[in-house]
C-alpha cells in the first residue's frame, strides 16, 4: 500500500496543504485548535507518517546529532558513543553514526553527509594527526567544518582541535589531559620498578599517542630515570601485538645468550595496544608480570575480563561523550575546557580528570 501524502491529509481535513504542514511538521505558525485537531485526526486515520526533513525545515532543527569515530568496535569509542547517546536522549535527539578508520578525508565526507541531512550538531572522537599524508585531508576537513559552523551547525571535538579549523563560533574542544596523566603513570611505576621501560606507541604525528609518549618520558625524567625506548606501530591491537612479538624475541634472545637483565616494564599508549602486546608475549611462552610488566591507558570496559588485571589510566569515557554532546547544545562560543583559540569561556564544567590505576600486570613480585 502506498504511503499517504500530506495532500490527502489536507483534503480529508478540509484545509490547505500548507496548513496541514504547519500542524504536522511543528511550525511555530499554528492554526486554531479545532483546525489542528481535524488535521491530526485525518493524519491518524490515513496512517500518515510526517516527513522528517520537512519537520526539520519547519522547526529549524532536524533533531539529529552526527557522531564520527575511528572504529566503533574499539571499546574506547563505543564507551564514548554510549555517553553521546545518553546525552542525545536527554535532548530528545537521535544519533547518526559514521566510522572512518581515522582518516581526515573520510571524516570530511562524514561531516558533509551529516550537513546535507541538516544535523543540528556533530561530535568527532579520535586522535588528530599532523602526519604529512594527512595534510590535504586535514585542510578539507577543516574547510568542511568551518562551512558547517558558519551555517549554524555546532561541533564538539574530543581531545584536540581539528588541524586548521578556524570557525569562531559553534566549535568546541573537550580536552583530555593525556600528557599529564601519562607522566603520573610513569612516576607511579618508577616507585617500585627498577628495570628498563619501553613504550609502545602509535605512528609519529598522531596527537594522542605523541602526547602520551611525551608525558611518560617527562614522568620518567622527573623520577630520575633514563628515557624509555619507543617502538611505533599502528594505533590498535594489531600494532600492539606486532610490537609485543619484537619484545618477546628480545627477551628470549637475551635469556638464551645468558645475559643477565632486569625485566622490562612496557607502557602501551592505549589499552587495546597493551592487550595486543600481552597476547604476543603469552603466545611466545612469556608470562606477565613474571617475565615483563605492562601498562596501558584508557581503562576500557574490556579490561574487566583481562588477566592479569592491567595497570592503566582510567578515563571517564562515557562522561566525555556526554560532555561533548551537551557542549553542542550551548550557545555558540562556549565550550567545555579553556582553549583560547576556540572561544572557550569560564563558568563551564571543569577539565576532564583521569586516574592512575595500578593492578596485577605491573606488580614487582611474581
Amino acid at each position: 500500500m502506498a504511503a499517504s501524502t500530506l495532500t490527502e491529509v489536507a483534503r480529508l481535513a478540509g484545509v490547505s496543504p500548507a496548513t496541514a504542514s504547519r500542524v504536522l511538521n511543528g511550525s511555530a505558525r499554528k492554526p486554531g485548535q479545532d483546525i489542528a485537531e481535524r488535521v491530526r485526526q485525518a493524519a491518524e486515520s490515513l496512517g500518515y507518517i510526517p516527513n522528517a526533513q520537512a519537520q526539520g525545515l519547519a522547526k529549524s532543527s532536524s533533531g539529529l546529532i552526527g557522531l564520527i569515530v575511528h572504529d566503533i568496535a574499539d571499546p574506547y569509542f563505543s564507551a564514548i558513543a554510549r555517553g553521546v547517546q545518553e546525552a542525545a536522549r536527554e535532548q530528545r535527539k537521535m544519533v547518526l553514526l559514521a566510522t572512518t578508520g581515522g582518516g581526515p578525508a573520510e571524516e570530511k565526507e562524514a561531516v558533509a553527509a551529516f550537513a546535507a541531512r541538516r544535523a543540528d550538531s556533530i561530535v568527532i572522537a579520535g586522535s588528530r594527526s599532523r602526519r604529512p599524508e594527512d595534510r590535504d585531508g586535514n585542510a578539507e576537513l577543516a574547510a568542511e567544518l568551518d562551512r558547517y559552523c558558519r551555517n549554524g551547525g555546532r561541533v564538539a571535538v574530543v581531545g584536540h582541535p581539528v588541524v586548521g579549523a578556524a570557525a569562531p563560533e559553534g566549535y568546541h574542544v573537550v580536552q583530555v589531559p593525556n600528557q599529564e596523566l601519562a607522566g603520573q603513570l610513569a612516576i607511579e611505576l618508577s616507585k617500585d620498578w627498577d628495570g628498563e621501560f619501553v613504550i609502545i606507541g602509535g605512528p609519529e604525528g598522531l596527537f594522542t599517542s605523541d602526547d602520551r609518549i611525551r608525558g611518560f618520558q617527562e614522568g620518567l625524567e622527573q623520577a630520575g630515570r633514563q628515557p624509555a625506548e619507543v617502538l611505533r606501530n599502528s594505533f590498535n591491537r594489531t600494532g600492539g601485538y606486532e610490537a609485543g612479538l619484537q619484545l618477546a624475541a628480545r627477551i628470549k634472545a637475551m635469556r638464551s645468550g645468558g645475559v643477565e637483565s632486569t625485566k622490562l616494564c612496557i607502557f602501551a599508549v592505549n589499552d587495546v595496544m597493551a592487550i595486543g602486546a600481552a597476547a604476543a608475549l603469552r603466545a611466545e611462552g612469556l608470562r606477565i608480570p613474571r617475565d615483563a610488566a605492562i601498562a596501558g591507558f584508557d581503562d576500557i570496559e574490556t579490561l574487566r575480563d583481562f588477566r592479569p588485571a592491567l595497570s592503566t589510566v582510567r578515563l571517564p569515557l562515557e562522561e566525555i561523550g556526554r560532555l561533548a554532546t551537551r557542549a553542542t547544545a550551548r550557545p555558540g562560543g562556549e565550550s567545555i575546557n579553556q582553549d583560547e583559540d576556540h572561544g572557550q569561556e569560564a563558568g563551564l564544567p571543569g577539565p576532564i580528570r583521569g586516574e592512575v590505576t595500578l593492578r596485577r600486570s605491573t606488580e614487582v613480585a611474581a
Side-chain angles (χ1 to χ4, degrees), residues 130-153:
R130 62 167 61 91
R131 294 178 296 175
E133 59 266 34
D134 291 328
R135 184 178 296 110
D136 292 343
N138 280 333
E140 293 174 0
L141 173 60
E144 193 67 42
L145 284 173
D146 290 346
R147 181 162 46 250
Y148 173 71
C149 289
R150 285 197 305 271
N151 282 282

Side-chain angles (χ1 to χ4, degrees), residues 200 231 237 240-252 255 264-267 273-295 306 308 310 361:
I200 300 177
L231 301 179
R237 184 187 184 280
Y241 190 90
E242 292 174 353
L245 290 178
Q246 289 181 249
L247 294 174
R250 181 186 304 179
I251 294 169
K252 294 169 75 173
R255 287 183 177 179
L264 292 177
C265 185
I266 302 164
F267 167 52
M273 295 186 81
I275 290 171
L281 294 175
R282 285 196 299 268
E284 293 299 310
L286 302 177
R287 288 176 55 191
I288 300 169
R290 184 193 67 185
D291 301 308
I294 188 165
F306 184 82
L310 185 71
S361 68

Side-chain angles (χ1 to χ4, degrees), residues 154-333:
R154 298 192 178 107
V155 176
V157 183
V158 175
H160 296 84
V162 170
V163 178
E169 293 187 356
Y171 184 76
H172 316 265
V173 180
V174 180
Q175 298 175 353
V176 179
N178 289 303
Q179 186 168 329
E180 175 188 343
L181 291 169
Q184 293 175 13
L185 175 63
I187 291 170
E188 290 300 315
L189 291 174
S190 296
K191 290 178 180 178
D192 297 319
W193 199 267
D194 59 3
E196 297 179 28
F197 288 87
V198 176
I199 300 173
I200 300 177
E204 188 170 5
L206 205 62
F207 286 16
T208 298
S209 174
D210 288 350
D211 282 354
R212 294 176 181 181
I213 291 172
R214 188 181 307 110
F216 196 83
Q217 298 284 37
E218 290 172 352
L220 290 179
E221 181 180 8
Q222 185 175 337
R225 307 299 293 273
Q226 292 296 313
E229 177 186 359
V230 180
L231 301 179
R232 292 187 180 272
N233 215 308
S234 53
F235 196 53
N236 53 30
R237 184 187 184 280
T238 299
Y241 190 90
E242 292 174 353
L245 290 178
Q246 289 181 249
L247 294 174
R250 181 186 304 179
I251 294 169
K252 294 169 75 173
M254 295 178 70
R255 287 183 177 179
S256 63
V259 178
E260 290 291 333
S261 176
T262 55
K263 292 187 294 185
L264 292 177
C265 185
I266 302 164
F267 167 52
V269 296
N270 65 36
D271 287 340
V272 293
M273 295 186 81
I275 290 171
L281 294 175
R282 285 196 299 268
E284 293 299 310
L286 302 177
R287 288 176 55 191
I288 300 169
R290 184 193 67 185
D291 301 308
I294 188 165
F297 200 112
D298 293 329
D299 200 23
I300 58 176
E301 189 173 354
T302 307
L303 298 188
R304 308 301 176 269
D305 302 316
F306 184 82
R307 295 294 179 272
L310 185 71
S311 293
T312 189
V313 173
R314 189 193 70 81
L315 288 180
L317 298 175
E318 291 190 28
E319 180 64 13
I320 288 172
R322 286 191 290 269
L323 287 173
T325 308
R326 290 167 183 164
T328 62
R330 301 174 182 277

